[in-house]
Amino acid sequence: MEIINRIPRMRSVTEKLRRDKRKVGFVPTMGALHDGHLSLIRRARAMSDIVVVSIFVNPIQFGRGEDFDAYPRDLARDAELISTRGVDYLFAPNIDEVYPEDFSTYVLVEELGEKLCGVSRPGHFRGVTTVVMKLFNIIKPQFSFFGQKDAQQVTMIKRMVHDLCVDTEVVICPIIRESDGLAMSSRNAYLNAEERKAALVLSRAHKQAKALYADGEKEATKIITAMRQIIENEPMARIDYVAIVDNQTLEPISIIEETKPVLIPLAVYVNRVRLIDNITLNTPILDDENESSFF
Ligand code: AMP
């Protein structure tokens, strides 16, 4: 595995790979890698000739007062972890090179980015789509791999790729969870033992939503109310949002139809740590063994 820090070197590598007609699979990350990231890498390895992983803690997707400075960073540990997983290139550029002083161009996916997480994190998705577009331009991947864990991000990247005719196939990978149901996240490292236990309200709320739906409940407000009750019973938890939305438009749904893919995303603060999670209904492709063994 070659570690590349400079954009020109990464570009020259990817240009040669293109010329040689090698299929490049790309996994963008912010590091602090866990099994969720590794599942994306495995999928990339299975589908591509060459796997490129990027690690870049993207400053422009963090708002003021958010955890940009505290975000866990350990490039040496991450590099070692993935060096035995069939990754060919680790791209870890410096902030100054990604955002030189005169940087002034952004990619904005309108509307979608203002809903759900966009309400409490204004500007977050503009930061995400801008950096992902830049990485796409540098790496020119045939396939790019994203986790369903960040469901709104997935919807927006797909929209950006479609709207701007980006030449990459977006592959969505299912959420990887701890055995007790907590979705894996680099931010779980912020939780102390008590908070870690309290964080189980997220998956418990989703479990209840699945059970209600399986019992024939179709009214979104009833499901949301039941989910909110579970979360509100946990003193350390504070709800940012709980929603039931159309998977594509992220517009709220009032009655769940069996034929329509539905997303049930939520964001909850456990003390000061903001966690997100989601489940989907009527989308068998995203329900992997890991998910179904928990729910
Ligand atoms: P991050 O490093 O948090 O920006 O995540 C990089 C990629 O890994 C994103 O596409 C995430 O959706 C994905 N990812 C993070 N956590 C998980 C998880 N628990 N299961 C599956 N994919 C994940």
Side-chain angles (χ1 to χ4, degrees), residues 225-236:
T225 304
M227 293 176 73
R228 293 186 73 100
Q229 268 170 8
I230 288 174
I231 300 166
E232 281 160 3
N233 266 335
E234 169 49 61
M236 273 185 266

Side-chain angles (χ1 to χ4, degrees), residues 27-31 33-34 36-37 39-40 61 71 145-150 153 173-177 183-186:
V27 181
T29 81
M30 298 206 299
L33 302 179
H34 50 65
H37 299 111
S39 75
L40 270 56
Q61 71 185 65
Y71 200 84
F145 299 84
F146 292 86
Q148 175 65 16
K149 163 82 182 359
D150 298 273
Q153 171 172 288
C173 304
I175 300 175
I176 304 298
R177 298 177 181 280
M184 290 192 184
S185 163
S186 306

Side-chain angles (χ1 to χ4, degrees), residues 275-292:
L275 300 174
I276 58 169
D277 196 354
N278 70 84
I279 55 167
T280 51
L281 301 176
N282 314 327
T283 53
I285 202 163
L286 289 170
D287 301 337
D288 77 334
E289 284 167 27
N290 189 307
E291 285 259 317
S292 42

